[in-house]
Amino acid sequence: MPLVAHLTELRSRLLRIIVIWMLIFAGLFYFANDLYTFISEPLRAFMPEGTSMIATDVASPFLTPFKLALVSALFIAMPFVLHQLWSFIAPGLYKHEKRLAVPLLASSIVLFYSGMAFAYFVVFPLVFGFFTSTAPEGVAVMTDINKYLDFVLTLFMAFGLAFEIPVATILLVLAGAVDVAKLRQIRPYVIVGCFVIGMVLTPPDVISQALLAIPMWLLYEVGILFSSMLKPIQRDAAETDPEEQPPA
């Protein structure tokens, strides 16, 4: 296909993504306040009696739930988004690459949602319990609703992307950018890097840093395990099917 045809195809798929995103957002907008109530529950559960969350900006009571509904719609639409991107690049892949790409695509979706669920059900209660318990005497914990949303969205994205480490590791090995032996060799540096990333992306407390760093390291080990299993499969598939050999 010529370049213009590729660009036209890309535009078409991007428009489909935007349409689906907006349709989901339209359905969620009515429940925007309920969504915020759900997302703020991990903090409100630890707030002292008689306190509540506050809105310091005039438009925050409307714009904050609006933003939450918009981002939630994108998260819900993520399987469709990835499917459209996959459909765009699939024609340029060999058959054995397509067979590997489909489970990797499904795994990436499941892992991203798993990271968000881990953040909400495990990390948030520990982090907010720690923060509220360390407030100085005489200081009422009354968090701004917009700042809270920015905080939790950052953690959702951090844990969602961190849980993609096995998929990223497998893709690097399959692409030939690195081999499994090298991944094992750099393991000590990766462990240190996980804790550095945990320190940068999470609040300044040891609990949340460890809750991000340790799963990242374990997921890295999972990526190494599956990479060592998938590499022979890819090689055998390419060797047994002459039609899939790259052109000379």
Side-chain angles (χ1 to χ4, degrees):
M1 294 175 62
L3 177 61
V4 175
H6 281 294
L7 294 177
T8 302
E9 174 72 9
L10 179 60
R11 183 189 64 179
S12 174
R13 297 198 177 276
L14 289 176
L15 287 175
R16 293 177 190 174
I17 290 172
I18 294 174
V19 169
I20 294 298
W21 181 16
M22 291 299 102
L23 287 175
I24 297 175
F25 167 71
L28 288 179
F29 181 69
Y30 179 79
F31 305 98
N33 288 338
D34 295 328
L35 282 174
Y36 195 89
T37 300
F38 174 77
I39 211 71
S40 62
E41 175 60 26
L43 173 62
R44 292 186 295 105
F46 292 98
M47 294 182 68
E49 186 177 354
T51 63
S52 64
M53 302 185 72
I54 59 175
T56 56
D57 294 330
V58 175
S60 287
F62 170 76
L63 291 180
T64 302
F66 179 93
K67 180 168 66 174
L68 176 59
L70 191 64
V71 176
S72 299
L74 180 60
F75 285 156
I76 293 174
M78 195 57 65
F80 180 80
V81 172
L82 294 177
H83 178 265
Q84 290 299 309
L85 295 178
W86 155 251
S87 299
F88 178 73
I89 65 174
L93 300 178
Y94 295 106
K95 290 182 180 179
H96 68 278
E97 293 174 332
K98 292 179 181 179
R99 287 195 294 267
L100 291 174
V102 171
L104 286 176
L105 179 63
S107 299
S108 65
I109 295 172
V110 173
L111 287 171
F112 186 80
Y113 288 151
S114 298
M116 293 179 62
F118 181 81
Y120 183 85
F121 291 106
V122 178
V123 178
F124 288 179
L126 293 175
V127 170
F128 297 139
F130 172 78
F131 283 164
T132 55
S133 65
T134 57
E137 185 176 354
V139 175
V141 180
M142 302 177 70
T143 305
D144 177 67
I145 60 174
N146 188 51
K147 292 185 181 296
Y148 173 81
L149 180 61
D150 291 340
F151 179 83
V152 297
L153 288 180
T154 299
L155 287 184
F156 274 141
M157 188 61 65
F159 278 87
L161 294 178
F163 272 57
E164 297 290 340
I165 288 178
V167 175
T169 304
I170 292 171
L171 290 176
L172 287 174
V173 172
L174 295 180
V178 66
D179 56 28
V180 176
K182 185 65 176 180
L183 292 175
R184 293 194 179 104
Q185 181 181 349
I186 63 174
R187 180 182 284 118
Y189 303 100
V190 171
I191 295 174
V192 174
C194 289
F195 279 91
V196 171
I197 293 174
M199 178 180 62
V200 172
L201 294 181
T202 60
D205 66 279
V206 177
I207 297 176
S208 57
Q209 292 173 11
L211 286 174
L212 179 58
I214 294 176
M216 287 176 64
W217 168 45
L218 295 178
L219 290 167
Y220 178 77
E221 299 294 339
V222 171
I224 293 178
L225 175 63
F226 279 95
S227 297
S228 61
M229 296 168 57
L230 289 175
K231 191 63 178 178
I233 295 176
Q234 183 201 34
R235 185 178 59 249
D236 293 343
E239 290 176 352
T240 55
D241 193 345
E243 295 181 357
E244 295 189 13
Q245 295 294 336

PDB file of all heavy atoms in Angstrom, residues 92 128 173 194:
ATOM      1  N   GLY A  92       1.299  -6.515   8.181  1.00  0.00           N
ATOM      2  CA  GLY A  92       2.739  -6.531   7.932  1.00  0.00           C
ATOM      3  C   GLY A  92       3.490  -7.599   8.701  1.00  0.00           C
ATOM      4  O   GLY A  92       4.721  -7.636   8.648  1.00  0.00           O
ATOM      5  N   PHE A 128      -3.058   5.323  52.007  1.00  0.00           N
ATOM      6  CA  PHE A 128      -3.903   6.337  52.645  1.00  0.00           C
ATOM      7  C   PHE A 128      -4.014   6.109  54.150  1.00  0.00           C
ATOM      8  O   PHE A 128      -4.141   7.074  54.909  1.00  0.00           O
ATOM      9  CB  PHE A 128      -5.282   6.348  51.995  1.00  0.00           C
ATOM     10  CG  PHE A 128      -5.247   6.740  50.546  1.00  0.00           C
ATOM     11  CD1 PHE A 128      -6.027   6.089  49.598  1.00  0.00           C
ATOM     12  CD2 PHE A 128      -4.400   7.748  50.106  1.00  0.00           C
ATOM     13  CE1 PHE A 128      -5.981   6.455  48.267  1.00  0.00           C
ATOM     14  CE2 PHE A 128      -4.342   8.104  48.770  1.00  0.00           C
ATOM     15  CZ  PHE A 128      -5.133   7.456  47.844  1.00  0.00           C
ATOM     16  N   VAL A 173      12.749  -9.693  23.492  1.00  0.00           N
ATOM     17  CA  VAL A 173      13.441 -10.938  23.145  1.00  0.00           C
ATOM     18  C   VAL A 173      13.045 -11.391  21.743  1.00  0.00           C
ATOM     19  O   VAL A 173      13.898 -11.761  20.924  1.00  0.00           O
ATOM     20  CB  VAL A 173      13.125 -12.033  24.185  1.00  0.00           C
ATOM     21  CG1 VAL A 173      13.668 -13.378  23.724  1.00  0.00           C
ATOM     22  CG2 VAL A 173      13.720 -11.663  25.533  1.00  0.00           C
ATOM     23  N   CYS A 194      14.049  -1.083  39.628  1.00  0.00           N
ATOM     24  CA  CYS A 194      12.652  -1.195  40.069  1.00  0.00           C
ATOM     25  C   CYS A 194      12.406  -0.343  41.315  1.00  0.00           C
ATOM     26  O   CYS A 194      11.381   0.346  41.415  1.00  0.00           O
ATOM     27  CB  CYS A 194      12.304  -2.654  40.356  1.00  0.00           C
ATOM     28  SG  CYS A 194      12.177  -3.692  38.879  1.00  0.00           S
TER      29      CYS A 194
END
